[in-house]
Amino acid sequence: MTDTLAPTLTDARGCPGLPRAEAALEAPAPGTPVSDPQAFVQRAVDGAARLELLVQGARCAGCMGKIERGLRAIAGVSEARLALSTGRLAIAFDPDRVAPRTLVETVQDLGYGAKPFDPAASQQEVDAEGRKLLVCLGVAAFASMNVMMFSVPVWSTMFGADMEVSTRTMFHWLSAMIALPAAAWAGQPFFISAWNALKRRRTNMDVPISLAVILASGLSIYETLHHGEHAYFDAVVMLLMFLLIGRYLDHRLRQKARVAARDLLALQAVTASVIGEDGSRRALALRDVQPGHRLEVLPGDRVPVDGVVRAGASDMDLSLLTGETDPVPVAPGQALRAGALNLSGRLELEATADSGDSFLAEIARLIETGEQSRSRYVRIADRVTKLYVPVVHSAALLTAIGWLLLGAEPRVAILNACAVLIITCPCALALAVPAVQVVATGRLFRAGVLVKSGDALERLAAIDHVVFDKTGVLTSGQPELVNRDAISNEDLAAAALLARASRHPLARVVARAAGPGPAAGNASEVAGAGVEATLEGARARLGRASWAGVVLDGSDGETELWFTRQGREPVRFVFADTLRSDAVAVVNALRQAGLSVEVLSGDRPAAVARTAAALGLKDWRAEQTPHDKAARLQALAASGKTVLMVGDGLNDAPALAHAHVSMAPGIAADASQSAADMVFQGAALSPVLTAHHVALQARARVRENFILSAAYNAIASPIAMLGLVTPMLAAIAMSASSLLVTLNALRLRGATGSEAEKGRQS
Amino acid sequence: MTAMFVLIPIALAMGFVGLLAFLWAVKTNQYDDLEGHGARILLKDYDDLPVP
């Protein structure tokens, strides 16, 4: 950390972008496809090119500086800017001097995930609505502060200060000159929304707000004209200011969630490498691939659309499609589904479906039906609003009628009804939920959880059942060598010479177990079979049993590699997908919290049973298709359960969409990340626990805030109905209740975390 | 009393300058990447241009 101060500041928080052990875990796994970004480069008129990337894992100034400097150091790159809050990186470069692929690889080499963006799916739209709210908020805040300059002297007369009536009226006029234009301008969002609701013969929260603002302004002008004592100009702008704070916070949360969701969608913009008649290759956006196109799939790439292998042999990783961890060998003539990961050899594929027709598209349709069922959820705030509006209106009306019946003159009756509208105006109510959600999502963001939909936390707080996928969620999704003790160091070192020459994931595990060292110079890889080399004059093979020359009596279903050398006993390497380090603790903690837990996997029964047993779970299902999983989730919902689904594979995506609330790890398939409500980063499973914990706390704070606002209204409304409210009292009550709910929301920030969260931080 | 006729316009004008500064900040994208701009000042090759 030589060049900036920032990394030392953020180091303690465990920024994943820093070169530490943690960074290695967050970095894209070897073999993450670098889809050719050529198709997503935008050309400017002057010949310069622009590329937008979404960078994952950058969270501090150190990350930002490292990425921007690293890119600017490349000859031909003129500009690189990373926006930290969105993770969006804009690069301007000279297309003749730099290949776009180099840019993506540079960022990935620095240890961050980087993927090109489909500009069609995510136009750089300026958040116009957010700006409008911010400007309105600025105007309202300016007005409410400056009106106080005239209001406070007027109030001081209540404590015995002298003020002539003419001076008071002049102060009222000055207040009006500031407050009325400000209210007319800053009140627009409410007036427009209320008018739209009324046109459709409905009411919403903005109707009583607009009514209060207009009535209070009109009444204050009338009072001022008649040299009256009470003018509510200060209350009008202060009211708008508090409401706009709540509105702006709420908008920013929704906007953030919307951007996160849309970014993930844009990330699905993968390209396919199409082989032309003359053997040339060009990158084509996925939507332009037609059946019959001949595609090249290199090791490390994913199959872009459904197709049939025409040439080449390789092993495929289907874990995102089916949950199965063992690589599957493929040969010409075999059909492949979109999403399979090519591990070892180069393949030529003939597309049999276009992208709208492939397995991926079918998954997308399943997701859609799930999301429709979920959109029926009504947020707590909306339910409260439904109760609130009629109560306030009838209270104001009752006040006016009551005073008239008691023989008061109409001016007094309207004045008191107006006071009721102002005093019950939902300042605290409008802040109660957004303030809590801003604090809660901020805390989760720091814990590595990205909240993608506004009401996800509310839904998460209500769960009573948790469904886990196995591969990649409960387990790390990476095979580990399990019989290291049964292999002699000499055999391991010899096998590693061959293993280092291969990109196959099992070979990489062997190489990692042996530590760094040289690769055999004469090693050659036979795709779908193994690696061969000559060691000390003897032929050696590492790979499939049949290829290595081992005759087996029958398979015991373990994932294995065989290492044979001429004249020696064959050596067996056994692999298994190991549990995430804290999986047992997290599952136990969830069960202690009163939730039932179940495993739903596409993997073979033996593997699922072993995982379930290790976690002490009796409830598990294996060999589930995407349809089965979605159906199971629907059945659970029908039996009255509210379910949290945690899954990563493409095969989980429909289930994620059907669940009451869902989470996906950051290594998950893009479609699953889009379908999930929350995405968590890192090698640990504890963010699931943290999220649940924060969700429960957030719900508690929201409820307390509603109780606080209800209590405030219960005290303030009768006072207003009795006609005892003065402008000063209204101002104090309004700001006090708003401050109270905001402070209560901030308590979430300092609240002690769960055990698992503490463990992560220490 | 006459002092007020001088002081009130001055006070209002000062407040108004603050409001204009805020509106300018919103208009020049300075509220678009709150975290990034906050972190950027810690960089050595710091520049204060908003994200293009």
Side-chain angles (χ1 to χ4, degrees), chain A residues 613-655:
Chain A
L615 294 167
L617 296 174
K618 292 190 190 70
D619 205 357
W620 56 269
R621 285 171 173 73
E623 289 181 333
Q624 301 276 304
T625 65
H627 286 278
D628 291 342
K629 288 196 178 190
R632 172 73 187 147
L633 263 292
Q634 280 171 320
L636 281 169
S639 70
K641 299 239 185 219
T642 40
V643 183
L644 162 67
M645 169 88 201
V646 191
D648 74 323
L650 268 178
N651 57 339
D652 296 315

Side-chain angles (χ1 to χ4, degrees), chain A residues 154-166:
Chain A
V154 173
W155 295 344
S156 68
T157 59
M158 294 178 65
F159 303 102
D162 285 335
M163 187 178 275
E164 312 238 342
V165 173
S166 61

Side-chain angles (χ1 to χ4, degrees), chain A residues 3 6 61 64-65 68-69 81-85 131 134-135 138-139 142 149-150 167 171 174 178 252 256, chain B residues 1 4 8 11-12 15-16 19 22-23 26 29 31-36 39-40 42-45 47 49 52:
Chain A
D3 52 351
M64 192 164 71
E68 290 181 357
R69 264 195 306 278
R81 295 288 293 208
L82 174 66
L84 262 194
S85 39
R131 273 195 192 181
L134 203 56
V135 169
V139 170
F142 160 80
M149 188 159 62
F150 310 112
T167 314
F171 273 27
L174 285 169
I178 299 171
R252 254 192 44 182
K256 227 175 171 173
Chain B
M1 206 44 201
M4 281 206 310
I8 288 173
L12 281 180
F16 204 68
L19 178 65
F22 173 75
L23 294 182
V26 173
N29 304 342
Y31 277 80
D32 287 1
D33 180 24
L34 290 174
E35 288 148 50
R40 215 171 271 280
L42 297 172
L43 296 182
K44 230 181 181 178
D45 43 359
D47 65 69
L49 299 171

Side-chain angles (χ1 to χ4, degrees), chain A residues 17-71:
Chain A
L18 293 164
R20 307 196 317 177
E22 248 178 86
L25 296 169
E26 293 274 349
T32 299
V34 182
S35 63
D36 189 352
Q38 186 70 54
F40 302 118
V41 173
Q42 292 164 290
R43 295 289 176 125
V45 206
D46 55 358
R50 240 179 98 83
L51 180 66
E52 281 206 16
L53 301 178
L54 192 75
V55 177
Q56 288 160 330
R59 282 194 216 143
C60 65
C63 305
M64 192 164 71
K66 211 161 80 175
I67 293 172
E68 290 181 357
R69 264 195 306 278
L71 284 169

Side-chain angles (χ1 to χ4, degrees), chain A residues 315-633:
Chain A
D315 294 282
M316 304 303 288
D317 177 357
L318 302 181
S319 61
L320 280 184
L321 291 172
T322 62
E324 193 173 342
T325 32
D326 294 354
V328 177
V330 292
Q334 207 157 340
L336 283 176
R337 286 188 304 187
L341 179 64
N342 185 2
L343 293 174
S344 44
R346 177 183 170 279
L347 287 177
E348 275 186 40
L349 208 69
E350 188 184 319
T352 52
D354 56 37
S355 66
D357 205 19
S358 66
F359 177 71
L360 279 175
E362 190 194 328
I363 295 274
R365 276 190 289 276
L366 275 171
I367 293 172
E368 223 165 89
T369 57
E371 276 167 355
Q372 278 161 8
S373 68
R374 191 191 281 163
S375 62
R376 284 187 217 120
Y377 181 82
V378 185
R379 289 157 53 116
I380 300 177
D382 295 339
R383 278 178 271 167
V384 171
T385 311
K386 248 188 190 154
L387 270 174
Y388 170 86
V389 176
V391 170
V392 169
H393 281 169
S394 30
L397 198 66
L398 276 178
T399 310
I401 294 172
W403 279 91
L404 284 177
L405 287 181
L406 286 173
E409 50 180 313
R411 189 183 76 92
V412 176
I414 293 174
L415 191 73
N416 287 332
C418 208
V420 170
L421 273 180
I422 292 176
I423 207 93
T424 56
C425 221
C427 289
L429 210 58
L431 279 169
V433 179
V436 171
Q437 285 192 332
V438 165
V439 179
T441 50
R443 187 169 148 200
L444 283 177
F445 186 75
R446 284 191 301 278
V449 183
L450 179 68
V451 182
K452 278 178 47 214
S453 64
D455 49 8
L457 280 176
E458 249 177 77
R459 285 186 271 123
L460 183 59
I463 58 160
D464 55 17
H465 189 78
V466 185
V467 177
F468 281 107
D469 173 43
K470 182 183 80 76
T471 316
V473 175
L474 290 172
T475 68
S476 60
Q478 305 282 329
E480 297 289 338
L481 185 61
V482 288
N483 67 337
R484 170 71 186 82
D485 296 338
I487 302 165
S488 72
N489 286 337
E490 195 258 326
D491 283 336
L492 181 62
L497 291 175
L498 274 68
R500 289 190 194 101
S502 169
R503 288 188 66 170
H504 193 280
L506 293 184
R508 279 169 174 271
V509 174
V510 173
R512 203 163 50 220
N522 55 0
S524 66
E525 186 165 10
V526 180
V531 190
E532 187 178 47
T534 314
L535 296 180
E536 294 161 7
R539 196 191 71 175
R541 279 183 164 183
L542 177 70
R544 220 164 276 294
S546 56
W547 184 74
V550 182
V551 183
L552 295 176
D553 305 338
S555 172
D556 54 4
E558 300 279 7
T559 309
E560 58 181 16
L561 274 185
W562 285 88
F563 180 54
T564 55
R565 278 183 286 177
Q566 276 173 334
R568 301 226 197 171
E569 278 290 299
V571 185
R572 185 182 188 221
F573 292 83
V574 183
F575 305 89
D577 192 10
T578 50
L579 287 176
R580 283 188 189 238
S581 57
D582 59 347
V584 176
V586 168
V587 168
N588 283 340
L590 286 173
R591 284 198 296 193
Q592 265 166 23
L595 307 170
S596 47
V597 181
E598 129 176 30
V599 180
L600 212 56
S601 175
D603 207 351
R604 288 163 295 119
V608 184
R610 201 163 45 214
T611 306
L615 294 167
L617 296 174
K618 292 190 190 70
D619 205 357
W620 56 269
R621 285 171 173 73
E623 289 181 333
Q624 301 276 304
T625 65
H627 286 278
D628 291 342
K629 288 196 178 190
R632 172 73 187 147
L633 263 292

